Amino acid sequence: MAIDGPAGAGKSTLARRVAARLGFVYIDTGAMYRAIALGARRRGVDWADQAALEQLAREADITLTPDHRVLLDGEDVSAAIREPEISQGASVVSAISGVRRELVLKQQRLGHSASAVMEGRDIGTVVFPDAEAKIFLDASPEVRAHRRVKDLAARGVAADFEAVHREMQERDHRDRTRPDSPLRQAPDAVYLDSSGLTETEVEQAILRIVGDRAPAAS
Ligand code: DC
């Protein structure tokens, strides 16, 4: 099952809930791009160095644990990859075709090994174009920025709404306009705007869509 959409649309929370409900594995592909951006920063590799980043993406050992932690070469980097600077870096390195090629291969391997809810930007268009159910989860830019400020506050990080809003717009623009696998809705994906909905309402809507598309999974 594929859930794509822009940052802050609520993909992670909903993908986790739906995966738990269906007994599927949850795979956060954004965490993999974030891990590459972090790994590069730690090794002193420039985010513009395409060859070095491709090699890093090929060699990096990225593990997504069942309790939703992210390990990079065995080290728990779950918190470090959520820093705002790494969010921007992930968006930059994810525009590099060689990095995408390596991570898409890893994602396809993961998705083939178990029933999964996979969340990202290109899951329904590139990684699993034959997914049984595809959702494009969206929300207004203001709602998405508010959610992000709230998430950061919950982690003890004070953030300015205007700055978060601006950074999100920049990141979205980059994700939507890159030549390789830009963020876009697959033709057969169901569009869902979560702006005025509670998490439970979005979860119910997604489960209805899954039930319609893949009766065996409901
Ligand atoms: O979902 P996220 O915010 O954790 O993703 C971080 C960045 O990674 C995002 O700016 C775009 C990129 N990304 C991508 O290009 N393709 C994916 N399947 C997932 C994320």
Side-chain angles (χ1 to χ4, degrees), residues 162-194:
E162 289 305 325
V164 168
H165 187 266
R166 194 174 51 247
E167 277 176 18
M168 232 174 194
Q169 293 297 101
E170 271 174 33
R171 192 145 78 90
D172 277 356
H173 179 73
R174 208 181 295 123
D175 295 346
R176 288 180 197 270
T177 56
R178 67 180 174 225
D180 188 348
S181 317
L183 167 65
R184 63 178 177 81
Q185 183 181 346
D188 53 346
V190 178
Y191 181 86
L192 195 57
D193 186 334
S194 70

Side-chain angles (χ1 to χ4, degrees), residues 5-39:
K11 298 188 301 294
S12 300
T13 310
L14 268 302
R16 282 181 194 199
R17 285 176 70 147
V18 170
R21 183 60 72 98
L22 298 174
F24 285 11
V25 177
Y26 161 67
I27 299 172
D28 173 5
T29 62
M32 300 171 77
Y33 290 96
R34 287 171 179 273
I36 298 304
L38 178 72

Side-chain angles (χ1 to χ4, degrees), residues 12 15 21 38 42 45 56 65 70 79 95 97-98 104 122 136 152 156 180 186 195 204 207 211 214:
S12 300
R21 183 60 72 98
L38 178 72
R42 287 187 173 174
V45 170
L56 187 61
T65 70
V70 181
S97 290
V104 166
D122 61 339
F136 192 88
L152 288 167
D180 188 348
S195 302
Q204 283 165 353
L207 290 172

